[in-house]
Amino acid sequence: MSGYAMESATPAEIGTQALPPSDQWSTAPVVPAPVCRFENFLGAERAATLLSYAISREADFHAGTVLDPLSGQVSHKGRSSLVLPVTSSVFSAHLADCLPLVQEVLGHRAALTQTLTVLTSHGEGGHYGIHTDASRVRDVGTALSAVYYLHRTPRGFGGGQLRLYDTLLADGGARPAESYRTIEPEHDTIVFFPAGAFHEVVPSTCPSGHFADHRFTLTTWISGTGPAATESGDPFRIWPWLAHAAERTRPLADVEHDHDGASPIALPAADPATRLTLPTPRRTP
């Protein structure tokens, strides 16, 4: 027992001298970008084979580029990574099978018809500053970005996390917020998010200096036709706001060729036998 006397608690009033009244709201909502992540995406055997392929193509990688949305000039500003444009019918089939579930989770209803893919490699000092993927797709309001991670085990690099920034809505507009979520580059995992979301890859380290110890990804941009929409009952529709925030990063003129040399391929239809769906929730009797 405490030695203090028990007294009934009474609420204290915080008056206008301590907290002056406000005539209007000054808060602005900060909304996280929707994200969907899968573990064991390709499976151990295919992931190991793909990693071996990436390492074997070391001589074919070249420096990754960025596209200035105003001038249209290609440079390496804000980015240090190696890229190799690729295509894969097997990888595209896996994407097609999981996309219906991804779109359900992200609240996205646009028709997706093609993909653009590059292998990337980040070694010592590798990074990619804050950006959107508006330069990769024709309509940033309907496109998805997907990043599939590969690396040796144990991991031969440090850092290299993906930062996915929230969106601040204020003054009738939208812009990237200071807050973000961090996604670890775990082997054989893939993450999907709106192409209009601001994101960055933080600097990586690679103590051995060996190419095989780099952080590898298959980075894919998935686009198509039709408006991005959400379920009719969704109380907040973030997709148009993300596109609005990314508007200044979208090229003023249509870009005929990808600045890293990637070529689009058609997205196959999902296979009814292997298509991913959400499990049915258990109901208590």
Side-chain angles (χ1 to χ4, degrees):
M1 295 290 293
S2 169
Y4 295 97
M6 299 295 291
E7 296 182 1
S8 58
T10 56
E13 170 69 21
I14 302 177
T16 57
Q17 291 184 346
L19 190 65
S22 175
D23 293 328
Q24 70 179 59
W25 292 101
S26 59
T27 56
V30 175
V31 184
V35 61
C36 182
R37 178 177 174 271
F38 293 91
E39 298 178 349
N40 307 313
F41 183 66
L42 293 183
E45 183 178 357
R46 282 179 172 165
T49 301
L50 183 55
L51 177 60
S52 296
Y53 173 82
I55 295 171
S56 72
R57 296 293 301 273
E58 177 180 3
D60 300 316
F61 280 77
H62 59 269
T65 60
V66 297
L67 179 68
D68 186 285
L70 297 179
S71 67
Q73 296 297 309
V74 175
S75 71
H76 304 290
K77 183 179 180 181
R79 183 181 187 186
S80 177
S81 61
L82 299 174
V83 300
L84 174 64
V86 294
T87 60
S88 170
S89 58
V90 174
F91 188 70
S92 294
H94 276 260
L95 289 176
D97 282 349
C98 74
L99 277 175
L101 175 55
V102 170
Q103 289 184 277
E104 185 173 353
V105 170
L106 300 186
H108 180 267
R109 293 295 177 269
L112 299 172
T113 59
Q114 69 176 29
T115 63
L116 195 73
T117 303
V118 295
L119 263 171
T120 75
S121 169
H122 287 70
E124 183 67 32
H127 67 279
Y128 199 158
I130 301 176
H131 65 286
T132 76
D133 291 332
S135 66
R136 306 287 187 168
V137 295
R138 187 173 296 275
D139 182 0
V140 71
T142 63
L144 287 174
S145 296
V147 183
Y148 173 72
Y149 295 102
L150 292 161
H151 61 74
R152 275 182 164 182
T153 303
R155 190 184 297 185
F157 67 90
Q161 293 88 354
L162 172 69
R163 286 181 177 176
L164 189 60
Y165 283 82
D166 300 334
T167 298
L168 175 67
L169 311 182
D171 302 323
R175 64 179 185 270
E178 294 182 0
S179 54
Y180 55 81
R181 280 175 290 175
T182 299
I183 298 169
E184 287 289 336
E186 298 291 349
H187 179 68
D188 197 23
T189 65
I190 190 169
V191 60
F192 295 85
F193 54 91
F198 280 84
H199 57 285
E200 71 172 318
V201 179
V202 303
S204 60
T205 61
C206 185
S208 74
H210 297 153
F211 185 74
D213 286 330
H214 281 197
R215 166 196 182 273
F216 295 96
T217 74
L218 268 180
T219 302
T220 301
W221 301 279
I222 311 166
S223 58
T225 58
T230 58
E231 294 284 3
S232 59
D234 192 345
F236 196 87
R237 301 182 177 185
I238 185 60
W239 282 84
W241 291 101
L242 289 171
H244 189 284
E247 186 66 23
R248 293 182 181 179
T249 70
R250 185 175 61 83
L252 296 180
D254 288 340
V255 179
E256 296 183 2
H257 305 287
D258 179 71
H259 50 89
D260 278 331
S263 299
I265 64 170
L267 184 69
D271 186 337
T274 53
R275 169 177 164 169
L276 295 180
T277 59
L278 284 174
T280 302
R282 293 182 178 180
R283 296 183 179 180
T284 55

